[in-house]
Amino acid sequence: MSAAATTTAVQLTVESPEQMQELGSRLAAVLRAGDLVLLTGALGAGKTTLARGLGAGLGVRGAVTSPTFVIARVHPSVSGGPPLVHVDAYRLGGGLEEMEDLDLDVSLPESVMVVEWGEGKVEELAEDRLHVVIERTTGGAAEAAADAAEPDAEGADAADVRHVTVTGVGERWAHGALAALART
């Protein structure tokens, strides 16, 4: 079995934007230079909020915001760790060829690269990578229930609830590194 064929996954429920950011911070604790993280989810699912938590956890400089119009931002570390390269591939149609044309200041082996909307476009950058899929219930009765829901005792609104699946692909993630994410 090749390294790329090895997968492991953790499923989590996130009940607020604050918890999504905190998940990003916990995820940052298991990342190292050379790691590629693909973020997948609908508009407004929480991809950039998770990336903001990654930036906080990695101790990088600059506000981590959506790089939609600049395509990529490099956030240098202020704590001696790897920089965060935050890419938004939403507007890129050509996949890896367009990614190579970006001429990023920091290469993948020296940084943690987080790519929003990267599924199907950048997997070839690294055999070992993380896929983070963020889903929320929308439409029909589920949306009406979320709209009508009162915040629960914890203050979570049903509209904020997300189901997050973090899948590690490759040997790098085959030995339980993601188990720490399941602990709250």
Side-chain angles (χ1 to χ4, degrees), residues 22-82:
E22 195 271 328
L23 173 60
S25 253
R26 288 196 332 260
L27 181 57
V30 300
L31 296 175
R32 63 183 183 212
D35 284 339
L36 174 64
V37 181
L38 306 178
L39 302 181
T40 301
L43 286 170
K47 296 178 298 295
T48 301
T49 302
L50 183 80
R52 191 172 296 120
L54 285 168
L58 291 170
V60 300
R61 184 177 68 223
V64 176
T65 60
S66 177
T68 299
F69 297 104
V70 296
I71 310 294
R73 283 197 174 97
V74 177
H75 297 275
S77 175
V78 295
S79 62

Side-chain angles (χ1 to χ4, degrees), residues 2-14:
S2 73
T6 304
T7 62
T8 184
V10 174
Q11 294 185 340
L12 307 151
T13 298
V14 176

Side-chain angles (χ1 to χ4, degrees), residues 1-8 32 35 126-129 168-178:
M1 180 182 286
S2 73
T6 304
T7 62
T8 184
R32 63 183 183 212
D35 284 339
E127 249 184 56
D128 297 324
R129 59 193 174 274
V169 177
E171 191 62 28
R172 158 91 168 91
W173 303 106
H175 304 288
L178 297 178

